[in-house]
Amino acid sequence: MRPSVFADAWEGLRRNKSIAVSVILVTMISLYLLGVGLLAQRQVDQMKGYWYDRVQVSIYMCTATSSQPNCSGGAATQDQKDSVAAQLEEMEPLVEEVYYESEEEAFERFKQDYENSPLASNIRVGDIPPSYRVQLSDPEKFDTVASAFEGAPGVASVPNLREVFAPLFRAINIITAVMVGLAALTLVSAVLLMATTIRQAAFTRRREIAIMKLVGASNRTIRTPFIIETVASGLIGALMAIGLLWVSAWTLFDKYLLTQQGAGTAFISSADVWVIAPFLLVGVVLLAVGTSTVTLWRYLRV
């Protein structure tokens, strides 16, 4: 590519620097919002995989203070607990792994998970019932296991973990949709600004374009500087958006949530920004090239 093409592109950016800055800022905002939406969706997928792969069924046993109708006889006896354990063994290979958590273990886990919460001081041993944590080889067959223990002697409840987390995931999905919607609106603004920049630059150089057409210059030769201008503005905005996304993810996840909750929790990290970054960069290049090509069409007609 001829050096003069880049010189022409730089001259175009210099002449229309105020609009070019506007394109950069709007592109940055729109891609930042889109990136936040994509990261939120990755967080949902991460949490689903983390929780659903670990515990699909929790069988809570009765305690002396349980209020469920099935616990009117008081706390679950050892025979009732042994019966549940034996029945779970008989359900292999559907039941892949079983872990029994006593009242003391449940209390210690709660204190560890919520050590910075005022709730920790209000919980005592026995407030959280003992339970069997069951991992299934096929999570879709939750009902098969749950129905076998609902109402069984000594069993307080068999909550569906998917139903427990469904409201949280729905809320995050709604936030994701809102962010993507806002990103779409700002992307439209970015496209319009790109088109305005190109039209203004083409109008300013309309005589030059006409002369180039008369001497036989190809449409590609004429179009290239304008495309470079638009792609350059878009890429600068995209790089700024990616940098802002990384700082946001690093601050929220790496330096706060992952530090507070520990390394094994279901959170994404700033590294996920580099996963979506190529899509943002390729997307803005395609958007800029497409906008340039369509906008310049009328100026390149013979």
mmCIF file of all heavy atoms in Angstrom, residues 250-276:
data_model
loop_
_atom_site.group_PDB
_atom_site.id
_atom_site.type_symbol
_atom_site.label_atom_id
_atom_site.label_comp_id
_atom_site.label_asym_id
_atom_site.label_seq_id
_atom_site.Cartn_x
_atom_site.Cartn_y
_atom_site.Cartn_z
ATOM 1 N N TRP A 250 -10.431 -6.237 36.726
ATOM 2 C CA TRP A 250 -9.316 -6.420 37.674
ATOM 3 C C TRP A 250 -9.683 -5.875 39.048
ATOM 4 O O TRP A 250 -9.399 -6.497 40.070
ATOM 5 C CB TRP A 250 -8.081 -5.720 37.137
ATOM 6 C CG TRP A 250 -6.867 -5.860 38.011
ATOM 7 C CD1 TRP A 250 -6.025 -6.916 38.096
ATOM 8 C CD2 TRP A 250 -6.361 -4.874 38.921
ATOM 9 N NE1 TRP A 250 -5.021 -6.672 39.004
ATOM 10 C CE2 TRP A 250 -5.205 -5.425 39.534
ATOM 11 C CE3 TRP A 250 -6.767 -3.591 39.278
ATOM 12 C CZ2 TRP A 250 -4.464 -4.721 40.466
ATOM 13 C CZ3 TRP A 250 -6.021 -2.900 40.217
ATOM 14 C CH2 TRP A 250 -4.881 -3.464 40.797
ATOM 15 N N THR A 251 -10.341 -4.714 39.067
ATOM 16 C CA THR A 251 -10.723 -4.100 40.340
ATOM 17 C C THR A 251 -11.812 -4.894 41.043
ATOM 18 O O THR A 251 -11.736 -5.161 42.252
ATOM 19 C CB THR A 251 -11.203 -2.655 40.110
ATOM 20 O OG1 THR A 251 -10.169 -1.913 39.455
ATOM 21 C CG2 THR A 251 -11.557 -1.982 41.430
ATOM 22 N N LEU A 252 -12.855 -5.280 40.273
ATOM 23 C CA LEU A 252 -14.000 -5.948 40.892
ATOM 24 C C LEU A 252 -13.706 -7.396 41.249
ATOM 25 O O LEU A 252 -13.983 -7.839 42.375
ATOM 26 C CB LEU A 252 -15.210 -5.882 39.948
ATOM 27 C CG LEU A 252 -16.474 -6.600 40.424
ATOM 28 C CD1 LEU A 252 -16.972 -6.001 41.732
ATOM 29 C CD2 LEU A 252 -17.564 -6.537 39.355
ATOM 30 N N PHE A 253 -13.137 -8.143 40.306
ATOM 31 C CA PHE A 253 -12.956 -9.578 40.513
ATOM 32 C C PHE A 253 -11.601 -9.917 41.135
ATOM 33 O O PHE A 253 -11.539 -10.532 42.198
ATOM 34 C CB PHE A 253 -13.134 -10.329 39.188
ATOM 35 C CG PHE A 253 -14.527 -10.249 38.655
ATOM 36 C CD1 PHE A 253 -14.836 -9.419 37.585
ATOM 37 C CD2 PHE A 253 -15.546 -11.012 39.211
ATOM 38 C CE1 PHE A 253 -16.129 -9.341 37.091
ATOM 39 C CE2 PHE A 253 -16.837 -10.935 38.727
ATOM 40 C CZ PHE A 253 -17.132 -10.093 37.664
ATOM 41 N N ASP A 254 -10.521 -9.521 40.471
ATOM 42 C CA ASP A 254 -9.186 -9.920 40.936
ATOM 43 C C ASP A 254 -8.856 -9.361 42.317
ATOM 44 O O ASP A 254 -8.329 -10.074 43.170
ATOM 45 C CB ASP A 254 -8.123 -9.448 39.936
ATOM 46 C CG ASP A 254 -8.267 -10.124 38.589
ATOM 47 O OD1 ASP A 254 -9.402 -10.460 38.226
ATOM 48 O OD2 ASP A 254 -7.266 -10.299 37.892
ATOM 49 N N LYS A 255 -9.158 -8.082 42.526
ATOM 50 C CA LYS A 255 -8.739 -7.421 43.750
ATOM 51 C C LYS A 255 -9.800 -7.408 44.847
ATOM 52 O O LYS A 255 -9.496 -7.023 45.976
ATOM 53 C CB LYS A 255 -8.306 -5.976 43.447
ATOM 54 C CG LYS A 255 -6.971 -5.895 42.741
ATOM 55 C CD LYS A 255 -5.869 -6.532 43.595
ATOM 56 C CE LYS A 255 -4.531 -6.505 42.895
ATOM 57 N NZ LYS A 255 -3.486 -7.188 43.690
ATOM 58 N N TYR A 256 -11.036 -7.784 44.508
ATOM 59 C CA TYR A 256 -12.070 -7.756 45.550
ATOM 60 C C TYR A 256 -12.735 -9.108 45.746
ATOM 61 O O TYR A 256 -12.514 -9.785 46.752
ATOM 62 C CB TYR A 256 -13.123 -6.698 45.241
ATOM 63 C CG TYR A 256 -14.218 -6.648 46.284
ATOM 64 C CD1 TYR A 256 -13.943 -6.205 47.578
ATOM 65 C CD2 TYR A 256 -15.506 -7.065 45.986
ATOM 66 C CE1 TYR A 256 -14.937 -6.178 48.545
ATOM 67 C CE2 TYR A 256 -16.506 -7.046 46.953
ATOM 68 C CZ TYR A 256 -16.215 -6.598 48.226
ATOM 69 O OH TYR A 256 -17.198 -6.588 49.173
ATOM 70 N N LEU A 257 -13.527 -9.551 44.762
ATOM 71 C CA LEU A 257 -14.324 -10.761 44.962
ATOM 72 C C LEU A 257 -13.465 -12.005 45.138
ATOM 73 O O LEU A 257 -13.699 -12.802 46.060
ATOM 74 C CB LEU A 257 -15.289 -10.950 43.784
ATOM 75 C CG LEU A 257 -16.410 -9.908 43.686
ATOM 76 C CD1 LEU A 257 -17.253 -10.140 42.439
ATOM 77 C CD2 LEU A 257 -17.291 -9.947 44.932
ATOM 78 N N LEU A 258 -12.478 -12.187 44.270
ATOM 79 C CA LEU A 258 -11.635 -13.378 44.385
ATOM 80 C C LEU A 258 -10.796 -13.348 45.657
ATOM 81 O O LEU A 258 -10.527 -14.386 46.272
ATOM 82 C CB LEU A 258 -10.733 -13.498 43.150
ATOM 83 C CG LEU A 258 -11.456 -13.874 41.851
ATOM 84 C CD1 LEU A 258 -10.495 -13.811 40.671
ATOM 85 C CD2 LEU A 258 -12.078 -15.252 41.938
ATOM 86 N N THR A 259 -10.393 -12.156 46.082
ATOM 87 C CA THR A 259 -9.630 -12.036 47.327
ATOM 88 C C THR A 259 -10.508 -12.302 48.543
ATOM 89 O O THR A 259 -10.092 -12.962 49.497
ATOM 90 C CB THR A 259 -9.014 -10.631 47.444
ATOM 91 O OG1 THR A 259 -8.187 -10.397 46.305
ATOM 92 C CG2 THR A 259 -8.185 -10.508 48.692
ATOM 93 N N GLN A 260 -11.757 -11.818 48.483
ATOM 94 C CA GLN A 260 -12.659 -11.986 49.614
ATOM 95 C C GLN A 260 -13.135 -13.422 49.761
ATOM 96 O O GLN A 260 -13.240 -13.956 50.856
ATOM 97 C CB GLN A 260 -13.883 -11.076 49.441
ATOM 98 C CG GLN A 260 -13.579 -9.597 49.549
ATOM 99 C CD GLN A 260 -13.215 -9.183 50.956
ATOM 100 O OE1 GLN A 260 -13.792 -9.662 51.924
ATOM 101 N NE2 GLN A 260 -12.235 -8.300 51.084
ATOM 102 N N GLN A 261 -13.433 -14.062 48.626
ATOM 103 C CA GLN A 261 -14.075 -15.366 48.670
ATOM 104 C C GLN A 261 -13.113 -16.532 48.517
ATOM 105 O O GLN A 261 -13.479 -17.667 48.797
ATOM 106 C CB GLN A 261 -15.145 -15.461 47.559
ATOM 107 C CG GLN A 261 -16.214 -14.371 47.658
ATOM 108 C CD GLN A 261 -17.025 -14.490 48.910
ATOM 109 O OE1 GLN A 261 -17.187 -15.567 49.462
ATOM 110 N NE2 GLN A 261 -17.539 -13.366 49.404
ATOM 111 N N GLY A 262 -11.908 -16.274 48.041
ATOM 112 C CA GLY A 262 -10.971 -17.383 47.867
ATOM 113 C C GLY A 262 -10.836 -17.778 46.418
ATOM 114 O O GLY A 262 -11.623 -17.411 45.563
ATOM 115 N N ALA A 263 -9.843 -18.597 46.147
ATOM 116 C CA ALA A 263 -9.490 -18.915 44.756
ATOM 117 C C ALA A 263 -10.443 -19.905 44.114
ATOM 118 O O ALA A 263 -10.493 -20.016 42.906
ATOM 119 C CB ALA A 263 -8.063 -19.471 44.706
ATOM 120 N N GLY A 264 -11.203 -20.661 44.904
ATOM 121 C CA GLY A 264 -12.015 -21.710 44.305
ATOM 122 C C GLY A 264 -13.435 -21.326 44.011
ATOM 123 O O GLY A 264 -14.264 -22.180 43.740
ATOM 124 N N THR A 265 -13.765 -20.052 44.084
ATOM 125 C CA THR A 265 -15.137 -19.637 43.891
ATOM 126 C C THR A 265 -15.443 -19.425 42.424
ATOM 127 O O THR A 265 -14.565 -19.387 41.571
ATOM 128 C CB THR A 265 -15.411 -18.352 44.682
ATOM 129 O OG1 THR A 265 -14.340 -17.438 44.456
ATOM 130 C CG2 THR A 265 -15.482 -18.650 46.164
ATOM 131 N N ALA A 266 -16.748 -19.233 42.151
ATOM 132 C CA ALA A 266 -17.209 -19.220 40.770
ATOM 133 C C ALA A 266 -17.226 -17.820 40.190
ATOM 134 O O ALA A 266 -18.264 -17.295 39.806
ATOM 135 C CB ALA A 266 -18.610 -19.836 40.701
ATOM 136 N N PHE A 267 -16.069 -17.175 40.115
ATOM 137 C CA PHE A 267 -15.988 -15.844 39.551
ATOM 138 C C PHE A 267 -15.035 -15.844 38.363
ATOM 139 O O PHE A 267 -14.043 -16.568 38.350
ATOM 140 C CB PHE A 267 -15.504 -14.827 40.591
ATOM 141 C CG PHE A 267 -16.483 -14.566 41.692
ATOM 142 C CD1 PHE A 267 -16.162 -14.879 43.005
ATOM 143 C CD2 PHE A 267 -17.723 -14.014 41.424
ATOM 144 C CE1 PHE A 267 -17.064 -14.640 44.026
ATOM 145 C CE2 PHE A 267 -18.630 -13.776 42.438
ATOM 146 C CZ PHE A 267 -18.305 -14.091 43.742
ATOM 147 N N ILE A 268 -15.364 -14.996 37.382
ATOM 148 C CA ILE A 268 -14.441 -14.789 36.281
ATOM 149 C C ILE A 268 -13.315 -13.882 36.772
ATOM 150 O O ILE A 268 -13.317 -13.447 37.923
ATOM 151 C CB ILE A 268 -15.159 -14.160 35.071
ATOM 152 C CG1 ILE A 268 -15.769 -12.799 35.451
ATOM 153 C CG2 ILE A 268 -16.229 -15.103 34.547
ATOM 154 C CD1 ILE A 268 -16.363 -12.052 34.278
ATOM 155 N N SER A 269 -12.385 -13.569 35.917
ATOM 156 C CA SER A 269 -11.272 -12.693 36.285
ATOM 157 C C SER A 269 -10.975 -11.758 35.123
ATOM 158 O O SER A 269 -11.625 -11.812 34.066
ATOM 159 C CB SER A 269 -10.035 -13.521 36.630
ATOM 160 O OG SER A 269 -9.528 -14.151 35.463
ATOM 161 N N SER A 270 -9.985 -10.897 35.320
ATOM 162 C CA SER A 270 -9.615 -9.962 34.253
ATOM 163 C C SER A 270 -9.105 -10.687 33.014
ATOM 164 O O SER A 270 -9.120 -10.130 31.911
ATOM 165 C CB SER A 270 -8.551 -8.981 34.762
ATOM 166 O OG SER A 270 -7.400 -9.687 35.214
ATOM 167 N N ALA A 271 -8.666 -11.937 33.168
ATOM 168 C CA ALA A 271 -8.189 -12.712 32.014
ATOM 169 C C ALA A 271 -9.307 -12.946 31.003
ATOM 170 O O ALA A 271 -9.042 -13.120 29.802
ATOM 171 C CB ALA A 271 -7.610 -14.046 32.476
ATOM 172 N N ASP A 272 -10.558 -12.949 31.470
ATOM 173 C CA ASP A 272 -11.683 -13.159 30.550
ATOM 174 C C ASP A 272 -11.846 -11.997 29.578
ATOM 175 O O ASP A 272 -12.460 -12.157 28.525
ATOM 176 C CB ASP A 272 -12.969 -13.359 31.346
ATOM 177 C CG ASP A 272 -13.021 -14.709 32.039
ATOM 178 O OD1 ASP A 272 -12.409 -14.853 33.113
ATOM 179 O OD2 ASP A 272 -13.647 -15.627 31.493
ATOM 180 N N VAL A 273 -11.313 -10.834 29.939
ATOM 181 C CA VAL A 273 -11.379 -9.689 29.024
ATOM 182 C C VAL A 273 -10.629 -10.001 27.734
ATOM 183 O O VAL A 273 -11.073 -9.639 26.633
ATOM 184 C CB VAL A 273 -10.801 -8.429 29.692
ATOM 185 C CG1 VAL A 273 -10.728 -7.276 28.700
ATOM 186 C CG2 VAL A 273 -11.650 -8.035 30.900
ATOM 187 N N TRP A 274 -9.500 -10.724 27.854
ATOM 188 C CA TRP A 274 -8.709 -11.034 26.660
ATOM 189 C C TRP A 274 -9.388 -12.084 25.797
ATOM 190 O O TRP A 274 -9.045 -12.226 24.620
ATOM 191 C CB TRP A 274 -7.317 -11.505 27.069
ATOM 192 C CG TRP A 274 -6.630 -10.544 27.991
ATOM 193 C CD1 TRP A 274 -6.146 -10.808 29.233
ATOM 194 C CD2 TRP A 274 -6.365 -9.155 27.761
ATOM 195 N NE1 TRP A 274 -5.605 -9.684 29.795
ATOM 196 C CE2 TRP A 274 -5.720 -8.647 28.915
ATOM 197 C CE3 TRP A 274 -6.619 -8.290 26.695
ATOM 198 C CZ2 TRP A 274 -5.338 -7.320 29.022
ATOM 199 C CZ3 TRP A 274 -6.229 -6.968 26.798
ATOM 200 C CH2 TRP A 274 -5.593 -6.495 27.948
ATOM 201 N N VAL A 275 -10.347 -12.796 26.357
ATOM 202 C CA VAL A 275 -11.108 -13.769 25.567
ATOM 203 C C VAL A 275 -12.072 -13.051 24.627
ATOM 204 O O VAL A 275 -12.240 -13.440 23.462
ATOM 205 C CB VAL A 275 -11.869 -14.742 26.487
ATOM 206 C CG1 VAL A 275 -12.740 -15.702 25.664
ATOM 207 C CG2 VAL A 275 -10.893 -15.527 27.353
ATOM 208 N N ILE A 276 -12.726 -12.000 25.130
ATOM 209 C CA ILE A 276 -13.705 -11.287 24.299
ATOM 210 C C ILE A 276 -13.068 -10.162 23.492
ATOM 211 O O ILE A 276 -13.681 -9.668 22.532
ATOM 212 C CB ILE A 276 -14.845 -10.723 25.158
ATOM 213 C CG1 ILE A 276 -14.326 -9.615 26.094
ATOM 214 C CG2 ILE A 276 -15.516 -11.824 25.967
ATOM 215 C CD1 ILE A 276 -15.428 -8.892 26.836
#
